[in-house]
């Protein structure tokens, strides 16, 4: 008997229009995926007015060997206004490369640029200021090993102490050193961050971290939590496959959310 076809293969991805004249097709693909991700964040309520960022590093086929280029949201627009064409292409210093009329928030790319440069596997970096995320980031002891989601993140959570608003480049190396090998990050007194090899994988990590914080916030409001044993946490992180490239690394979940966004408003493709 043949194995059933995964639902993610039966459900088509939202359509992607052809790349504009003069743009590398791979850059356009990255733009469409990133714009869709901003709309997913808006749908989920993971927004902070016009602040915070999701960034992706463009492949060498686009930027050329040794030249690191990135896509970031145009500063001043809400996530629900981000489109594939208005994303801004920048270099490691945050300098605009594509003639975009939109500015880039320097406080945002200091963090993202340091991680992209210092961690070779950080193709995508996501940062949020959700209520649950900031609350746990402000809590003595941070994330506790007390729920289904924290168990799946066993050994994956890194911390970086608050040094003020992130506009000073000298903080970058300390941040990278603190989170190296830890893709789910709690910026103390500040918020949540995730990085990964692909955008969908990064999203899966951040979603799990966000859910872990939400459940912890709810649990602590009622009383003392039941700890998850170290043995159970190790087993859970081993058995959780949603981050693994061999099992799609979050692609199916991300595609499902993009289809939902597409049904509501397809203007992200513009």
């Amino acid at each position: 008997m043949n194995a059933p076809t995964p639902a993610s293969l039966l459900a088509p991805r939202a359509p992607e229009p052809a790349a504009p004249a003069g743009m590398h097709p791979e850059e356009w693909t990255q733009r469409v995926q990133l714009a869709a991700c901003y709309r997913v964040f808006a749908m989920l309520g993971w927004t902070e007015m016009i602040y915070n960022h999701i960034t992706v590093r463009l492949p060498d086929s686009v930027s050329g060997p040794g030249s690191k280029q990135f896509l970031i949201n145009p500063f001043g627009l809400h996530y629900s206004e981000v489109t594939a064409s208005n994303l801004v292409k920048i270099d490691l210093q945050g300098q605009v490369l594509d003639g975009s009329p939109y500015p880039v928030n320097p406080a945002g790319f200091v963090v993202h640029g340091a991680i992209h440069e210092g961690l070779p596997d950080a193709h995508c970096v996501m940062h949020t200021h959700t209520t649950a995320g900031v609350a746990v980031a402000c809590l003595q002891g941070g994330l506790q090993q007390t729920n289904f989601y924290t168990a799946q993140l066993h050994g994956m959570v890194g911390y970086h102490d608050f040094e003020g608003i992130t506009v000073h480049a000298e903080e970058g190396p300390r941040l990278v050193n603190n989170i190296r090998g830890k893709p789910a990050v709690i910026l103390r007194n500040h918020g949540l961050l995730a990085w990964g090899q692909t955008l969908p994988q990064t999203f899966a990590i951040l979603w799990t971290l966000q859910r872990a914080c939400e459940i912890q916030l709810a649990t602590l409001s009622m009383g003392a939590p039941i700890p998850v044993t170290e043995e159970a946490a190790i087993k859970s992180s081993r058995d959780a496959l949603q981050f693994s490239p061999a099992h799609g690394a979050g692609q199916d979940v991300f595609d499902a959310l993009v289809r939902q966004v597409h049904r509501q408003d397809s203007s992200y493709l513009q």
Side-chain angles (χ1 to χ4, degrees):
M1 180 181 295
N2 294 329
T5 302
S8 59
L9 299 182
L10 294 173
R13 294 182 183 176
E16 176 184 319
M23 181 175 291
H24 196 293
E26 289 189 52
E27 177 177 340
W28 182 246
T29 295
Q30 294 290 317
R31 283 177 172 271
V32 168
Q33 185 183 64
L34 181 56
C37 188
Y38 274 103
R39 298 300 186 91
V40 167
F41 272 44
M43 181 177 68
L44 295 175
W46 293 0
T47 58
E48 184 82 352
M49 298 196 296
I50 62 170
Y51 303 104
N52 297 159
H53 307 280
I54 312 164
T55 56
V56 297
R57 183 173 60 215
L58 291 169
D60 288 349
S61 59
V62 175
S63 59
S67 178
K68 294 182 179 180
Q69 298 179 355
F70 310 88
L71 296 174
I72 192 170
N73 52 315
F75 188 50
L77 298 188
H78 188 266
Y79 281 15
S80 62
E81 299 176 300
V82 173
T83 68
S85 59
N86 69 27
L87 286 162
V88 185
K89 182 161 65 172
I90 58 176
D91 60 18
L92 270 172
Q93 287 70 48
Q95 300 298 310
V96 176
L97 302 175
D98 58 1
S100 172
Y102 292 100
V104 173
N105 182 8
F109 201 66
V110 165
V111 168
H112 289 245
I115 296 172
H116 282 300
E117 181 177 25
L119 302 175
D121 286 339
H123 164 76
C124 178
V125 180
M126 300 177 175
H127 174 48
T128 60
H129 285 179
T130 61
T131 299
V134 177
V136 171
C138 295
L139 187 67
Q140 188 73 37
L143 193 66
Q144 299 178 8
Q145 194 168 276
T146 58
N147 67 60
F148 177 81
Y149 298 101
T150 56
Q152 295 176 61
L153 294 170
H154 178 75
M156 294 176 58
V157 181
Y159 291 85
H160 176 66
D161 288 341
F162 185 62
E163 298 186 19
I165 298 174
T166 51
V167 293
H168 303 290
E170 61 268 21
E171 184 177 351
R174 293 189 291 275
L175 169 65
V176 170
N177 185 62
N178 287 336
I179 69 173
R180 194 179 302 278
K182 308 289 186 181
V185 181
I186 294 178
L187 303 172
R188 294 190 191 275
N189 309 102
H190 186 170
L192 303 182
L193 183 145
W195 56 271
Q197 298 175 41
T198 66
L199 185 150
Q201 181 191 51
T202 308
F203 177 82
I205 294 168
L206 183 62
W207 182 86
T208 306
L209 181 60
Q210 170 67 21
R211 287 295 289 147
C213 291
E214 290 172 349
I215 300 302
Q216 179 168 312
L217 184 65
T219 303
L220 293 180
S221 72
M222 297 184 295
I226 303 170
V228 172
T229 67
E230 188 78 0
E231 179 183 6
I234 292 172
K235 181 179 179 182
S236 296
S237 60
R238 183 186 66 234
D239 293 344
L241 303 176
Q242 73 269 31
F243 311 134
S244 170
H247 293 86
Q251 186 72 59
D252 51 357
V253 171
F254 182 73
D255 287 346
L257 291 171
V258 173
R259 289 193 298 272
Q260 186 175 351
V261 164
H262 190 80
R263 286 191 295 268
Q264 297 173 0
D265 180 3
S266 63
S267 64
Y268 69 95
L269 293 171
Q270 295 175 2

